[in-house]
Amino acid sequence: MSSKKMITLKSSDGRIFEVEEAVAQESQTIKHMIEDGYGNSVIPLPNVTGRILYKIIEFCTKHVAVEEDIKQKSVEPTVVVEDVKQKSVEPTVVEDVKQKSVELPVDDDAWDAEPSDIDEWDAQFIDVDESTMFELIVASNYLNIKRLMDLSAQAIADMMKDKTVEEIRKIFNIQNDFTPEEEMKIRNENSWAYE
Amino acid sequence: MSPFPDEIIANILSRLPVKCILRSRCVSKPWLALISTSYFVKLHLNRSVQTKSNLDLLLWDGDTYRVDFDSLDNDVIQPVDVDNHPLRCYKNYETLWGSCDGLLCMSNPIGDVILWNPSTRKSIKLPYTPTEIASEKKVFGNTRRERVYQLGYDNINGDYKVVRLVVLYGSDFQDFEVKVYSLKSNSWHKSENCLHCPDFNRTGNSIAGGAVHWISDVMLDSKKESSIVAFDIRTEKYRVIPPPEFCGIDSGLYLDNLEGCLSLSYQYQSTSVDVFLLKEYGGKSEYWSKFVTISPTIQFASVYAVKPIAYSKSGKKVLLDLNFKILVWYNLEHDSFEEIWVDGMNKFLDVLTCVESLVSVDVAAAVTNSNAKKNLHKKEENNMNNFLSKGFKLKRRGGGGVMQRIDEEFQIIMVEAKVLQEQLLIKEVQVGAIIPIRQHEARYEEGLSLNSRFVFFLSQKRGGGGGLLQKVDEETDQMLEAFGFMVYCYCIMKIMEF
């Protein structure tokens, strides 16, 4: 076990994650918080659920590993997940919790991947349902993780390409605030685009 | 109702083809507003250019044809006739002059000139302007005129410009005229002080570094030499660029550009052609760099002119038009050539790339929008004017400075730093970063800090500047009052008296 500095993150639903500093710093938002001196206490992320934060940590861990060219199968980043009762929001150590060491899913082939296979890994990573894609893009925007923002934005764009206007509204949960006349006027400006 | 911030929507939409984005205009009012901003148009354009997606190749031999850039990976391509452009009703052929940011400049034999965006299908016809060559009136006998148009972008003023060169040939003299059209003002004006008459036979699409270029035979040290003249489309100033050494007069010179880098193809020994690119354009160490040599030992019998067109997506190959007849990929790594067979065409007088973009040619809309914005923020503007009229000093961290008015309008965008942090989650902004603030693009300059209560961006269209707007006591340098709120407004800043 290396003696790297660990950063503690707390999701909106109270789950605690401990990650290596290098992994946490994939997020520019967290990086700035660390630089401002908050790295020694629990960093709350009230906009990110535990489920999504878990996935994001998986993404960042993978990319840090690829950058450091780690090819050892046995080195899995460990994530300490503590189930806590949401009584108070204290940035200090919480007592009376069960400590479970949860390992991120280790796909042997994935960890062994050459850097050029990272695009394939990314493609598999983002191959999720629509609502997860949206949660990822919102969270990665908040956490300012450019690579993940671009990946999820591209996935959503690819999914949107052939959809109709109504379908797009449904996906984004948008209310149509045009009157029928207004909408008709806009459509007529580029009527050929709707064929 | 959408929980997504504008920058996320913009990030997603900027990856879509133009047709899809145009459809998305009627999804909701916020989406329509976002798509219509110049920030978004630029974001989409820049992304397409960087990833070389949404790109077409246009081929012209009197008629215009197009093909997807991606299909050039095949050995044979089948270009399709572009038959929906606005000049099509004329039975005679149209001339394709140039392409810039998704806009095409075209004309017909009777002199109509248009700027057309084939992706949005919007176009504008340029107003008529006569030729005003003084010597024409004094001439007897036969004269003829030749005209060339070049389309470019003035990135300081955020304006698309068309440069028209007209050469008048008399029996024993030549004269010429340069006129410039600005899309923003939708008008032509003549550029004076023209030197060095252009030779159109040796000039192709020669816009590079914000200047139009042509080859001219110039007197240098009482000797006639072929030289390159550069005409800056913004400053309208000229300079002469000497060609590479050993390029003698009358050698087969042809001027063009490779993705914005000026290229010169030079035929020597009547068999081989060297192609040079002008590197470090406009800088002190501007120099010609040899790019490729095409000699008869390779598969072509003789080459006299080379038009470079574009790099491949990977950057390893370059598309070239040889002798206006042969389209080839030149592989930079292996120094090899692959010919592309073009079905249905046997000459390519012009070949250019055209990106799909949302760039607008709508002059009327630009004026209307700016009026609407002015009205909308009149109140804030009055507040701003009151503040400014009482005197202020523009202060930069690490040094003072006074902002002076230049004869242009400035857009002042002021943001409270706290809001900038919360909404955009920016703790520290990198120098040169373009920041979307309420859909307005503003440039953040060096020396600014978010620790101050207010951050202020000065956006001169695509230009930039910045500072912290404070009222300071001139002597003690203490801040008296600061002005900031989330707003966008027009304001003409006056030279302040203290």
Side-chain angles (χ1 to χ4, degrees), chain B residues 142-155:
Chain B
N142 288 328
T143 60
R144 72 181 167 85
R145 280 182 288 178
E146 274 186 15
R147 258 190 324 218
V148 155
Y149 295 89
Q150 301 260 16
L151 169 63
Y153 182 71
D154 169 357
N155 62 1

Side-chain angles (χ1 to χ4, degrees), chain B residues 172-393:
Chain B
D172 58 354
F173 83 103
Q174 274 181 24
D175 201 355
F176 79 111
E177 171 198 81
V178 178
K179 278 197 172 179
V180 181
Y181 167 83
S182 138
L183 180 62
K184 265 209 162 105
S185 67
N186 192 23
S187 65
W188 292 92
H189 65 271
K190 187 167 157 164
S191 169
E192 303 298 338
N193 311 317
C194 305
L195 313 165
H196 314 308
C197 197
D199 177 354
F200 291 147
N201 288 332
R202 299 186 274 169
T203 303
N205 296 317
S206 55
I207 284 242
V212 171
H213 304 81
W214 59 81
I215 294 182
S216 192
D217 293 333
V218 179
M219 292 300 287
L220 280 174
D221 301 326
S222 63
K223 211 175 51 150
K224 240 193 180 181
E225 299 234 335
S226 287
S227 238
I228 292 129
V229 177
F231 171 73
D232 187 307
I233 60 175
R234 180 179 68 86
T235 62
E236 299 190 14
K237 292 203 166 74
Y238 292 80
R239 67 182 179 109
V240 174
I241 303 173
E245 285 176 21
F246 315 118
C247 287
I249 193 174
D250 273 354
S251 47
L253 290 178
Y254 187 75
L255 201 60
D256 209 282
N257 86 91
L258 175 58
E259 294 188 355
C261 187
L262 196 66
S263 77
L264 184 68
S265 97
Y266 160 53
Q267 184 195 33
Y268 59 97
Q269 300 166 2
S270 68
T271 50
S272 307
V273 169
D274 277 343
V275 182
F276 293 86
L277 295 178
L278 189 62
K279 300 282 176 132
E280 297 194 28
Y281 187 87
K284 275 190 223 157
S285 35
E286 189 179 72
Y287 67 100
W288 289 102
S289 159
K290 195 187 287 195
F291 180 60
V292 62
T293 298
I294 304 177
S295 46
T297 52
I298 313 172
Q299 49 252 60
F300 319 105
S302 78
V303 182
Y304 61 84
V306 176
K307 256 176 106 61
I309 301 151
Y311 288 97
S312 63
K313 258 185 177 150
S314 64
K316 295 186 184 150
K317 299 193 286 189
V318 185
L319 189 64
L320 306 173
D321 174 3
L322 308 180
N323 297 350
F324 310 106
K325 259 188 11 202
I326 307 167
L327 210 59
V328 293
W329 279 115
Y330 168 64
N331 189 313
L332 292 158
E333 278 174 3
H334 307 135
D335 194 24
S336 62
F337 294 83
E338 298 157 33
E339 189 172 337
I340 300 174
W341 180 260
V342 182
D343 207 6
M345 292 179 81
N346 55 17
K347 61 183 191 297
F348 318 114
L349 298 174
D350 208 348
V351 184
L352 17 97
T353 56
C354 180
V355 71
E356 275 188 35
S357 82
L358 293 158
V359 171
S360 165
V361 292
D362 204 347
V363 178
V367 172
T368 317
N369 277 343
S370 77
N371 283 338
K373 280 172 189 165
K374 276 180 177 162
N375 292 336
L376 196 63
H377 300 283
K378 205 67 183 153
K379 187 172 161 226
E380 285 91 348
E381 191 182 321
N382 287 336
N383 287 345
M384 171 71 93
N385 282 335
N386 287 339
F387 177 76
L388 289 177
S389 64
K390 291 177 200 152
F392 72 95
K393 182 161 123 178

Side-chain angles (χ1 to χ4, degrees), chain A residues 36 150 169 177 189 192, chain B residues 15 25-27 29 119 427:
Chain A
D36 283 351
D150 288 343
R169 287 193 190 120
D177 53 355
E189 284 167 10
W192 52 271
Chain B
R15 295 159 192 272
R25 290 171 82 235
C26 69
V27 164
K29 284 182 185 169
S119 310
K427 186 72 180 172

